[in-house]
Amino acid sequence: MLMRKTFAVLLCAAASLALSDRADAAAKTIKVGLAVPTTDAMYLGWEAFKQYIEKKGDGSLKVDIYPNSQLGSGDRELNEAAQFGDVTCASGSTSPLATLVPDLLVLDVPFSFMNRDAVFAALDGELGDALRKSIAAKGLITPKFWGNGFRNVTNNRRPIRTPDDLDGLKLRTMENPLQIAAWRAMGANPTPMAFGEVFTALQQGTMDGQENPYTLIVNMRFYEVQKYLTTTQHVYTAVAPVCNKAFYDGLTTAQKTLFGEAFDEATRVQRSMLLKLEQDSVAVIAKAGTQIIDLTDTERMAFRKGTPAALALAKQRVSPEVFAAYQKATGVK
């Protein structure tokens, strides 16, 4: 009798394991490829997404996150991997994604937004809806937009307080036609350069300065080789978390609901963590001895002489629907 009971228990255990194995095999895995390290707010957002899925889900969805460029060398490569389904999701700033979705260029018009609240009011509203449609046309979805912070100028030549102080400044910028046009109009000498080469260029004096959000200035240690930082806040670098549309379309209704709820939580975490990381970054920069020139809104608006040149390019390259939504959201004409 004891042997029969033991055998029955073993059979039940084996059946349970078999069912578990089948459930794991049936689970769909969301593979997230990131170029950023685990300390970045983008990673923390995806980690919150993963935890929500695992805590609230029924086991039919799994999330694997691969940070530090494990699945691709940069944002552009990872965006393409998500488009083709080699990874399920990726995230990076909207500027590299604009090579695939030109409508995103509208976010690179300088001085479009005065503060962070205005940015997310636009991206959570009609402008964000219009941009999501453009992204979806490329086989990707972006449930929410995240942030990477306002971009600010650092340099080694002089404190930048007025547009005249930019005259002749050799400034590393992204390879972005709107930003290049804007900096030229402001009197600087914008020079695109691979991101990994910027520190050495600043250290050796090949470049006078660069422009990036606080967190990247700290992560890349630019503050160690720059004397001045000016809070120009000329462009807010938005982040587009993108996922393969075919994968999403293949989810059940319940899975899509869970996916959306997890993304809401991820968005809350990413945006709040970015604020904390920005505050920490400013403290690091100030402690290192970099002089921070904190512009008032009035002083900042004097730099808007670069806006018309960028706006003209945006109007040429961006769809009329997105451009109209941008103007409605920002009031920039």
Side-chain angles (χ1 to χ4, degrees), residues 21-322:
D21 287 344
R22 283 199 295 273
D24 286 344
K28 292 187 176 182
T29 300
I30 300 171
K31 185 191 293 186
V32 182
L34 302 173
V36 298
T38 56
T39 53
D40 192 279
M42 267 189 270
Y43 175 86
L44 298 175
W46 282 111
E47 184 62 33
F49 177 85
K50 173 183 171 69
Q51 290 177 10
Y52 191 97
I53 293 283
E54 292 177 348
K55 182 178 180 181
K56 301 289 187 180
D58 60 3
S60 65
L61 286 179
K62 296 170 60 179
V63 182
D64 292 335
I65 308 172
Y66 299 86
N68 294 307
S69 299
Q70 293 180 57
L71 301 182
S73 61
D75 291 343
R76 183 180 299 184
E77 184 176 341
L78 288 168
N79 288 334
E80 291 174 353
Q83 184 186 27
F84 295 118
D86 297 328
V87 301
T88 316
C89 302
S91 64
S93 68
T94 53
S95 293
L97 186 58
T99 59
L100 180 65
V101 187
D103 280 349
L104 289 167
L105 282 170
V106 78
L107 298 178
D108 287 306
V109 177
F111 304 103
S112 296
F113 302 101
M114 291 295 293
N115 54 58
R116 181 179 181 272
D117 289 342
V119 172
F120 287 118
L123 292 178
D124 292 340
E126 292 181 21
L127 176 58
D129 290 342
L131 290 171
R132 274 189 287 273
K133 288 181 182 177
S134 300
I135 293 170
K138 300 296 183 179
L140 296 165
I141 64 162
T142 296
K144 296 280 186 179
F145 285 93
W146 294 351
N148 215 8
F150 277 106
R151 304 179 77 87
N152 297 293
V153 173
T154 68
N155 88 102
N156 266 332
R157 286 181 59 179
R158 64 179 80 94
I160 305 297
R161 290 189 167 87
T162 71
D164 290 343
D165 294 326
L166 290 168
D167 189 40
L169 195 74
K170 197 167 186 181
L171 193 69
R172 183 271 172 184
T173 63
M174 291 187 292
E175 193 172 348
N176 181 298
L178 272 69
Q179 292 196 26
I180 291 171
W183 286 116
R184 282 179 180 157
M186 285 187 278
N189 178 12
T191 307
M193 174 182 287
F195 197 50
E197 300 173 7
V198 179
F199 182 90
T200 301
L202 296 173
Q203 187 179 45
Q204 295 179 350
T206 308
M207 289 288 166
D208 297 317
Q210 61 83 49
E211 46 85 45
N212 264 298
Y214 290 125
T215 53
L216 286 180
I217 291 170
V218 169
N219 287 343
M220 300 303 293
R221 305 186 354 260
F222 294 151
Y223 67 93
E224 294 181 2
V225 290
Q226 296 279 265
K227 296 177 182 177
Y228 310 104
L229 182 150
T230 301
T231 61
T232 48
Q233 297 185 8
H234 47 280
V235 167
Y236 189 90
T237 298
V239 168
V242 294
C243 296
N244 182 271
K245 188 174 183 299
F247 177 91
Y248 178 79
D249 289 343
L251 299 179
T252 66
T253 300
Q255 288 172 332
K256 287 178 179 177
T257 298
L258 178 66
F259 187 96
E261 291 172 349
F263 232 102
D264 287 342
E265 175 63 9
T267 299
R268 182 191 68 78
V269 169
Q270 197 277 338
R271 293 180 185 180
S272 63
M273 287 306 302
L274 178 64
L275 274 180
K276 182 181 184 306
L277 290 172
E278 284 181 327
Q279 293 166 356
D280 293 345
S281 296
V282 172
V284 169
I285 293 167
K287 186 177 180 180
T290 301
Q291 182 182 343
I292 298 177
I293 298 94
D294 195 6
L295 301 181
T296 65
D297 286 345
T298 301
E299 290 171 329
R300 195 171 290 117
M301 288 304 98
F303 287 80
R304 293 189 75 169
K305 63 170 63 177
T307 299
L311 191 65
L313 277 178
K315 191 171 184 178
Q316 293 173 13
R317 301 183 182 214
V318 170
S319 69
E321 295 79 13
V322 167

